[in-house]
Amino acid sequence: MVTQYIYGVPVETFAVVKEVAHGTELPCFSWEKNMTFTCPLGKEDMVYGLGETMRGINKRGARYISFNYDDFRHRDDMPSMYGSHNFIVVDGEKTFGAFFDTPAKVVFDIDSAGNGLLSVACESSDLRLYIVEGESAYSVVKEFLGIIGRSFLPPLWAFGYGQSRWGYKTARDISRVAAKHREAGIPLDYICLDIDYMDRYIDFTVHKRRFPKMAAYVKMMLEQGLHLVPIVDAGIKIEPGNAVYEEGVQKGYFCKNQDGRDFQAEVWPGMTHFPDFMRETVRAWFGSQYRFYTELGLEGFWNDMNEPAIFSTESRKKNAPPDAERGDPDQPGRHIADYKDFFHRLDDGRRISNYKVHNVYGAMMTKASGEGLEKLLDKRYLLFSRSSYIGAHRYGGIWTGDNESSWRMLRQNVYHMPSLNMCGFLYSGADTGGFGGNTSRELLLRWLAVSVFTPLMRNHSAIGTRKQECYRFRGTEDFQSIISLRYRLLPYLYSEYMKAALRQDMLIRPLAFDYPDDEKARRIEDQLMVGEGIMIAPILEKGVNGRIVYLPEPMTEVRYSGGSFTCMDVGAGERTAMAPLNTVVFYIRRGKLVPVGKAVSNTAEMDLLDVELLGSGTSYEQYVDDGSTKECSLDRCVVRRP
């Protein structure tokens, strides 16, 4: 059961799409007039949720701040990241969920002082609070997913392997990357285009010298089974002759500064204006701009810099000291004044600063893009974003931003996945291998072994770092083998994703959700459930070839190496699982089946029905379609038997 409590005049975030009952007497929390909500925690209570935040799956023992921020230095004590997902689940003496639906800053103090107190401080007095009741943490999450709407449904090719790097500057660079993957026998479905494909980093342009005859080039790549996925940034370049800029100014579609002029901020193309995504007419206008890309034959996109990221403004020059140095310890390295200096006009007529609706800016860009693409394309599209808020999951996925090439961030990738699933974001993943820094062969192989099981599987790195395409490393056959596993598992992974989305369920879960009565399983955070049948226990440490794995029940251990599966039934309890760098080990639950397909070069070659079944079950419900149709339903499931 879900109950809504309304305070003040909330700003519409579009996070909740289902009507729920209104309550008058707030349970679970005590409420103070300064919009602080408090709740005592039992000694053994666990707290889940918050989507994209640092630290483990159990969020207890730390303080988190919902205020979207572009900071690539992902420290364990980092208070917030690119997205804000204000949903928590308390699991213990009392089990319930709470969603603080406000686009303004929220501070979650989850027993950081060890005093057994959960405190949620909302900066705005205008919000909706949803209390979600259920018998278990998992049932609470499913109730919540039921009110926020179905997750984004990408095409089949979006589940293939993707290659990206900030630094691919020309069509020749892209063609070389594609050719090298083919030569190495490494499957590949798409290549992302970072900012260098644009004319001087201007949205809705293509650099004519670097990418001549773009439509013909896109068509040629599609004939090879490869999609191109361009980046789109939030800021619109201020430049006479830029048609998007000129129309936006003429129609008043940009955010304003204090005195009513169009707000200016420097980002990659120089000085830009920010579209006022809080308004429906502006979202429709911005979404229609994607016609520039779809007419070139493009069907996938990634939205970036939409927190929004700001290098400088008219009043603040680059490298000015951040607000934290002026007395705000909650905002390390931030220029909060930037967000207080520009304004939106809401559809209800209110004028409001970005600071007060900051956390939904990127989500509204995703909504605008998704709704535009829905009109422009007669098939499913790929869209993922850096900044996000609950509700954006209906229009696109997310990647977890500019991480680093470190074992710590590989582990964080594992923590992020179930937490994001709890907030509706099924299509998600990290920059495999790490974006910043220089990855190693060992780290990249171990990261690939995790990304095999995440819906978004993209190798992405920054200019100036070691080039980390898999074919550049010795022992290329090891990389080829692990990526081939992704494709062989796609009949299962695609099916489980589509069923989870259509049933408004989680795809990737902590063990605690599937084994709530197993106290040992409840405490494990480095093993995850993927779909109904698979458990993964990845190696997340440098220099080791095995790990201790806990099996809550007897399972089938599956080892994949050199293109072959080896299966062995194993008993419950702890066991040592050895996995050299060229081997991926995963587990199939007792009584479950996993369909695996043939090795292919890309999803265009895949036959989802040509499978063999691994495991000990008697039947498997497999979702099968053409991978692109918009009309998706569970009627497309077929029962497979050994």
Side-chain angles (χ1 to χ4, degrees):
M1 185 177 76
V2 183
T3 307
Q4 177 184 203
Y5 301 84
I6 299 178
Y7 301 87
V9 184
V11 171
E12 181 57 71
T13 66
F14 302 102
V16 173
V17 295
K18 183 179 178 181
E19 289 290 331
V20 300
H22 289 251
T24 55
E25 201 166 313
L26 181 65
C28 309
F29 287 96
S30 299
W31 171 56
E32 300 174 18
K33 288 186 178 180
N34 63 356
M35 301 310 294
T36 297
F37 300 80
T38 58
C39 172
L41 295 173
K43 185 177 180 181
E44 300 301 322
D45 286 4
M46 304 177 79
V47 181
Y48 302 108
L50 293 184
E52 188 182 45
T53 45
M54 293 297 287
R55 307 179 185 87
I57 297 172
N58 179 8
K59 297 301 178 182
R60 187 165 182 170
R63 192 165 174 269
Y64 310 86
I65 300 173
S66 287
F67 195 84
N68 296 357
Y69 183 50
D70 168 24
D71 187 349
F72 63 91
R73 296 159 295 190
H74 296 172
R75 310 172 307 278
D76 287 339
D77 64 349
M78 188 174 181
S80 53
M81 297 181 70
Y82 306 96
S84 291
H85 311 115
N86 301 336
F87 175 59
I88 57 173
V89 181
V90 176
D91 182 19
E93 293 180 8
K94 291 187 294 185
T95 297
F96 67 93
F99 173 40
F100 296 82
D101 187 11
T102 168
K105 176 181 171 183
V106 182
V107 178
F108 293 85
D109 190 320
I110 308 178
D111 194 21
S112 67
N115 58 4
L117 191 66
L118 164 63
S119 172
V120 183
C122 302
E123 186 156 302
S124 173
S125 58
D126 301 313
L127 76 147
R128 295 181 178 92
L129 170 56
Y130 297 85
I131 298 297
V132 188
E133 299 177 76
E135 295 181 357
S136 66
Y138 192 9
S139 67
V140 165
V141 169
K142 287 193 277 190
E143 284 280 343
F144 179 64
L145 296 178
I147 68 168
I148 62 173
R150 189 187 74 186
S151 292
F152 165 64
L153 299 179
L156 175 62
W157 65 263
F159 293 87
Y161 180 62
Q163 179 58 49
S164 181
R165 180 173 172 83
W166 175 20
Y168 297 157
K169 294 184 180 295
T170 67
R172 181 175 295 180
D173 291 341
I174 300 299
S175 294
R176 185 181 299 115
V177 169
K180 289 290 186 180
H181 278 83
R182 285 194 299 273
E183 291 170 13
I186 298 173
L188 186 66
D189 259 270
Y190 62 93
I191 300 176
C192 290
L193 307 180
D194 213 312
I195 55 177
D196 291 306
Y197 82 89
M198 302 177 187
D199 178 9
R200 294 171 294 131
Y201 310 141
I202 301 173
D203 280 349
F204 311 113
T205 67
V206 170
H207 196 291
K208 293 181 180 179
R209 181 171 54 81
R210 294 176 176 178
F211 288 86
K213 300 179 181 178
M214 186 63 161
Y217 185 66
V218 170
K219 182 180 179 182
M220 181 187 73
M221 297 302 280
L222 284 172
E223 289 169 351
Q224 299 175 22
L226 289 174
H227 293 257
L228 299 182
V229 180
I231 197 170
V232 180
D233 286 346
I236 301 299
K237 169 73 169 174
I238 299 172
E239 182 173 89
N242 176 359
V244 181
Y245 157 73
E246 291 182 339
E247 184 180 7
V249 170
Q250 179 190 1
K251 295 184 176 179
Y253 285 165
F254 296 123
C255 294
K256 307 297 183 182
N257 62 15
Q258 292 274 9
D259 61 13
R261 293 180 296 115
D262 290 335
F263 176 74
Q264 297 186 27
E266 183 186 7
V267 202
W268 289 115
M271 297 307 287
T272 67
H273 292 324
F274 291 140
D276 189 356
F277 292 122
M278 300 302 295
R279 293 156 56 194
E280 184 177 0
T281 53
V282 178
R283 291 195 299 273
W285 168 75
F286 186 84
S288 70
Q289 303 304 318
Y290 283 77
R291 181 182 301 277
F292 172 82
Y293 297 114
T294 58
E295 288 182 346
L296 294 173
L298 297 162
E299 301 168 359
F301 310 90
W302 51 307
N303 288 348
D304 196 12
M305 304 295 287
N306 51 354
E307 291 73 31
I310 295 175
F311 297 164
S312 67
T313 66
E314 291 177 285
S315 60
R316 178 183 63 80
K317 302 302 182 184
K318 284 185 179 179
N319 303 317
D323 292 346
E325 296 181 22
R326 300 199 291 271
D328 188 352
D330 280 345
Q331 312 297 344
R334 307 186 189 200
H335 295 99
I336 298 302
D338 289 347
Y339 304 117
K340 295 180 178 179
D341 284 348
F342 73 96
F343 294 81
H344 300 268
R345 179 73 65 184
L346 304 184
D347 283 330
D348 63 12
R350 280 183 286 172
R351 184 174 183 261
I352 192 168
S353 76
N354 176 268
Y355 180 77
K356 293 183 178 180
V357 295
H358 179 73
N359 290 338
V360 296
Y361 189 82
M364 293 299 185
M365 180 184 179
T366 299
K367 178 176 168 65
S369 306
E371 289 177 339
L373 291 167
E374 187 68 25
K375 294 176 182 177
L376 291 167
L377 294 172
D378 61 359
K379 60 181 72 173
R380 302 203 305 263
Y381 58 86
L382 170 60
L383 177 65
F384 55 97
S385 170
R386 190 170 74 178
S387 183
S388 60
Y389 184 86
I390 293 170
H393 69 285
R394 299 193 300 274
Y395 305 98
I398 61 174
W399 92 102
T400 54
D402 299 342
N403 61 4
E404 64 185 26
S405 301
S406 70
W407 293 91
R408 180 175 58 87
M409 287 310 299
L410 169 57
R411 180 174 291 272
Q412 191 64 50
N413 186 182
V414 173
Y415 298 155
H416 272 147
M417 295 309 298
S419 299
L420 286 167
N421 270 227
M422 293 177 206
C423 298
F425 290 94
L426 301 192
Y427 191 81
S428 53
D431 284 345
T432 298
F435 177 73
N438 299 312
T439 198
S440 66
R441 180 179 189 272
E442 179 188 11
L443 176 60
L444 182 54
L445 282 166
R446 293 302 190 199
W447 210 317
L448 286 165
V450 171
S451 297
V452 158
F453 299 95
T454 66
L456 173 59
M457 185 184 185
R458 178 180 75 148
N459 180 335
H460 183 44
S461 57
I463 195 168
T465 65
R466 177 181 188 174
K467 294 180 179 179
Q468 62 186 44
E469 296 88 356
C470 294
Y471 55 75
R472 297 184 182 276
F473 295 84
R474 64 176 175 80
T476 304
E477 65 275 7
D478 293 343
F479 295 89
Q480 189 276 337
S481 175
I482 292 178
I483 297 172
S484 75
L485 172 61
R486 167 62 164 220
Y487 284 80
R488 298 202 64 185
L489 282 174
L490 274 186
Y492 174 81
L493 295 172
Y494 179 67
S495 175
E496 291 301 299
Y497 181 98
M498 297 297 286
K499 289 189 298 183
L502 292 169
R503 289 171 176 154
Q504 294 178 235
D505 200 347
M506 296 175 68
L507 171 69
I508 300 179
R509 309 175 300 281
L511 266 60
F513 279 29
D514 287 61
Y515 304 97
D517 299 324
D518 187 323
E519 283 303 316
K520 191 173 183 66
R522 279 173 53 83
R523 304 293 170 180
I524 290 175
E525 297 198 331
D526 61 355
Q527 300 177 206
L528 299 174
M529 308 304 299
V530 181
E532 68 174 42
I534 284 180
M535 183 189 80
I536 64 171
I539 291 177
L540 306 174
E541 297 179 29
K542 183 179 185 296
V544 300
N545 280 323
R547 59 162 290 170
I548 301 297
V549 178
Y550 176 68
L551 304 181
E553 62 178 331
M555 295 186 181
T556 300
E557 182 179 271
V558 183
R559 307 176 67 83
Y560 186 83
S561 179
S564 299
F565 293 99
T566 303
C567 300
M568 177 177 66
D569 291 337
V570 293
E574 286 190 349
R575 62 181 282 103
T576 300
M578 302 304 295
L581 283 174
N582 63 355
T583 302
V584 179
V585 178
F586 62 94
Y587 298 84
I588 302 176
R589 296 185 67 175
R590 179 172 53 186
K592 302 294 183 181
L593 290 172
V594 171
V596 297
K598 302 293 192 293
V600 294
S601 298
N602 52 56
T603 56
E605 300 176 0
M606 179 164 291
D607 182 352
L608 292 172
L609 288 173
D610 186 9
V611 299
E612 61 177 303
L613 298 170
L614 306 179
S616 59
T618 57
S619 65
Y620 176 74
E621 182 188 41
Q622 184 182 356
Y623 180 92
V624 180
D625 67 7
D626 62 7
S628 65
T629 183
K630 288 184 176 182
E631 292 74 34
C632 302
S633 76
L634 292 170
D635 293 340
R636 297 180 181 274
C637 290
V638 296
V639 176
R640 313 302 304 275
R641 302 186 190 281

